[in-house]
Amino acid sequence: MIGTGAAMLSDSAPVLQPLAPASGVFAYLWVLLALPLFGAAVLLLGGRRTNRWGPYLGCLTVITAAAYAIALLVSMMALPADERAIGQSLYSWVAVGSFQAEFALQLDQLSMVFVLLITIVGSLIHVYSLGYMEHDVDRRKFFGYLNLFIAAMLLLVLADNYLLLYVGWEGVGLASYLLIGFWQFKPSAAAAAKKAFVMNRIGDVGLSLAIMLIFVTFGTVAFDSVFAQAGQASETTLTWIGLLLLLAACGKSAQFPLQAWLLDAMEGPTPVSALIHAATMVTAGVYLIVRSGAIFDGTAVALTVVAIVGVITMFLGAIIGSAKDDIKKALAGSTMSQIGYMIIAAGLGPIGYVFAIFHLLTHGVFKANLFLGAGSVIHGMDGQQDMRRYGALRTAMVVTWLTFMCGYLAIIGIPPFSGFFSKDDIIHAAFEKNWIIGVCGVLAAGITGFYMTRMIIMTFFGKARWEDDVHPHESKPVMTIPLIILGIGSLFTGAALVYWGDIVGWLEPVTGLQEEPLAIPTIALEGITLTVVLIGVAIAIAKYRSTVPVEPPPGNLLTVAARNSLYDDAINDALVVQPTYALSRGFVTVDDRVIDGTVEGSASLVGGVSRRLRLVQTGFARSYALLMVAGAILVAVVLVVVRLS
């Protein structure tokens, strides 16, 4: 698909755009953060008095932020391409010696697309949550957490330096912990929240170390200054910074080897899955790598590792998604796989940065559509998430079925749905850079066709396998209207971004774009990819159209492994948890026997000596006189011996 809009562009590298001072409509850039932050403060601090109207306030703050974001986009489009980077310094945040960090915001073409995705998709998910969480006694708190997450995510993508980005990064981690464990009365939800929090902290160590190394190397953490000096740093230094940033991205974006938390995170309410684990938070790692493109461009090693991580995760997620019977966990595996595509594109360097963001945008729309559709199914099936207990729901939930089909056709890449444009661009760019990565992308597309068709058949087609007391029903309009909007977006977003929005031309000043010759014509490559996808679809139809077993058959080794998430928990337990326990037990032993033993042994020695010396303190004068005589004799003997020698 590069040929549709990118092939005519000349090769270029990203150019550092000078930040223009915020004026006009841009003068209120801080309002983007203030609106959801205000909503979170009112909802979380206002107490029960806000229960009745609090959720509506939560929706209003994000919808208003989305309207303002659209106004910002219109104003930005009216500016020349080289004047679209806007900076707003709010106050001097950290000033310690030579270390300076401003609380400053940066709105350019890259952050603009994220602001639109976060606020618009976030608004739809907020509205949907009014129906989904209608009967939850703590729904006011739920909307407060959603607002907190939106504010933190906006800070992450609007920060103009790494230190402020880190604040948003940690805020997103906190909000995701609160939302995943929202139903904390369920032990599984509480455990999932802790697991996500801990695994993300591992990635956050990478980001904190990267920021420290960036400051030591460049003397600043501001994006424009760091990127301007990146070409002067040694490749070794850039490699270490790049690998540490990748570690951070792996944690936040659930990439290998820190992917195990994502499937457990489905314990949270479904709107959480749509907002955090489909449309926004899991894409933060992609944003971090692309934003730091000037650093990664100077280290082929780091870029190669990024691409390898993406390929591994792309297949891990696809294989897991092919065997899960829980509809949300199957979609979670799909998210891992699709983020893997984005990480691959980012690992291609200037050839792929723009396509990583392009697929991120389309994925945010169609995956939010799929997750909210799954939530509608779960809602209509009285909380049932096992697809083996579904079947024939297309007649009972027509709107949910039709909108889900839009997301399905988008993710598998059927033209003219959005995934066809963005995912094929990544595959095309991969073939330009490395044909092995390109082949992997095509094969994973075929697996995507299989597991998504499996999901469609098990949920909406075949015979009804509902339990006797379940009566499927369509969701309320407050839930179906966001589904319809996202379904339409799943159809038109890709084409709109290519032919109307010119996403490549829009992002090129920030991400750059380079091209290399491709032996395979674009249309031929698209035909090959589509054929492989249709083969995956056909295999799924042949396997599941006749019957879906209520109890899964034994399956082969790969199927069993996929049902167990490829044993990622067991591997983590063997490689990390148990060695950590053993190490801690060793430290306890050293503490007990060496440290405490030394201290307690010294005390025992002094006590023992004192007890024996106390025996000579009898209180009798004759005993002391005898000791004095004995002492004098001993001294005399010593003097004689010394004299004779």
Side-chain angles (χ1 to χ4, degrees), residues 558-571:
L558 181 58
T559 301
V560 173
R563 287 179 188 146
N564 289 279
S565 303
L566 299 179
Y567 304 111
D568 51 10
D569 283 337
I571 293 172

Side-chain angles (χ1 to χ4, degrees), residues 176-261:
S176 68
Y177 168 77
L178 296 171
L179 287 166
I180 294 169
F182 182 75
W183 288 328
Q184 55 188 288
F185 56 84
K186 298 165 54 181
S188 56
K194 288 186 288 185
K195 183 176 182 179
F197 190 81
V198 170
M199 295 197 76
N200 272 269
R201 298 293 73 72
I202 297 172
D204 294 352
V205 170
L207 181 56
S208 61
L209 291 176
I211 294 172
M212 295 176 195
L213 185 54
I214 286 171
F215 174 71
V216 169
T217 303
F218 303 109
T220 179
V221 292
F223 291 150
D224 53 355
S225 299
V226 170
F227 301 156
Q229 302 176 62
Q232 304 170 16
S234 69
E235 184 174 354
T236 300
T237 300
L238 294 178
T239 297
W240 279 111
I241 295 174
L243 293 177
L244 290 169
L245 292 175
L246 174 61
L247 177 61
C250 287
K252 200 67 80 184
S253 295
Q255 297 294 287
F256 176 83
L258 299 177
Q259 80 283 359
W261 66 268

Side-chain angles (χ1 to χ4, degrees), residues 73-93:
L73 173 65
V74 173
S75 299
M76 183 177 284
M77 292 177 67
L79 297 174
D82 58 350
E83 298 179 10
R84 289 173 175 169
I86 310 296
Q88 183 178 49
S89 179
L90 300 180
Y91 61 89
S92 182
W93 178 31

Side-chain angles (χ1 to χ4, degrees), residues 1-4 420 424 428 518 520-531:
M1 286 305 303
I2 290 181
T4 60
F420 165 74
D424 275 30
H428 194 296
L518 179 65
I520 305 175
T522 298
I523 190 170
L525 183 56
E526 292 172 357
I528 293 172
T529 303
L530 186 57
T531 300

Side-chain angles (χ1 to χ4, degrees), residues 41-221:
V42 171
L43 293 173
L44 297 178
L45 302 178
R48 295 179 180 177
R49 65 178 65 91
T50 65
N51 280 352
R52 183 171 57 86
W53 48 267
Y56 300 99
L57 174 65
C59 292
L60 181 62
T61 58
V62 182
I63 292 172
T64 305
Y68 180 47
I70 294 172
L72 290 173
L73 173 65
V74 173
S75 299
M76 183 177 284
M77 292 177 67
L79 297 174
D82 58 350
E83 298 179 10
R84 289 173 175 169
I86 310 296
Q88 183 178 49
S89 179
L90 300 180
Y91 61 89
S92 182
W93 178 31
V94 180
V96 181
S98 62
F99 182 75
Q100 303 287 326
E102 298 287 318
F103 195 101
L105 307 179
Q106 174 178 322
L107 183 69
D108 57 15
Q109 295 92 322
L110 178 59
S111 53
M112 186 74 251
V113 298
F114 274 88
V115 168
L116 291 169
L117 178 67
I118 294 165
T119 56
I120 294 177
V121 175
S123 296
L124 294 173
I125 294 172
H126 272 69
V127 172
Y128 176 96
S129 299
L130 289 174
Y132 193 87
M133 303 295 289
E134 181 179 9
H135 302 295
D136 196 291
V137 295
D138 288 324
R139 71 172 188 154
R140 182 251 319 160
K141 186 187 297 183
F142 178 78
F143 278 87
Y145 293 159
L146 286 183
N147 271 203
L148 178 63
F149 174 84
I150 293 291
M153 192 69 201
L154 286 171
L155 178 61
L156 191 159
V157 300
L158 286 171
D160 89 328
N161 62 78
Y162 281 104
L163 191 62
L164 190 57
L165 179 148
Y166 187 79
V167 175
W169 193 272
E170 292 302 311
V172 166
L174 170 62
S176 68
Y177 168 77
L178 296 171
L179 287 166
I180 294 169
F182 182 75
W183 288 328
Q184 55 188 288
F185 56 84
K186 298 165 54 181
S188 56
K194 288 186 288 185
K195 183 176 182 179
F197 190 81
V198 170
M199 295 197 76
N200 272 269
R201 298 293 73 72
I202 297 172
D204 294 352
V205 170
L207 181 56
S208 61
L209 291 176
I211 294 172
M212 295 176 195
L213 185 54
I214 286 171
F215 174 71
V216 169
T217 303
F218 303 109
T220 179
V221 292

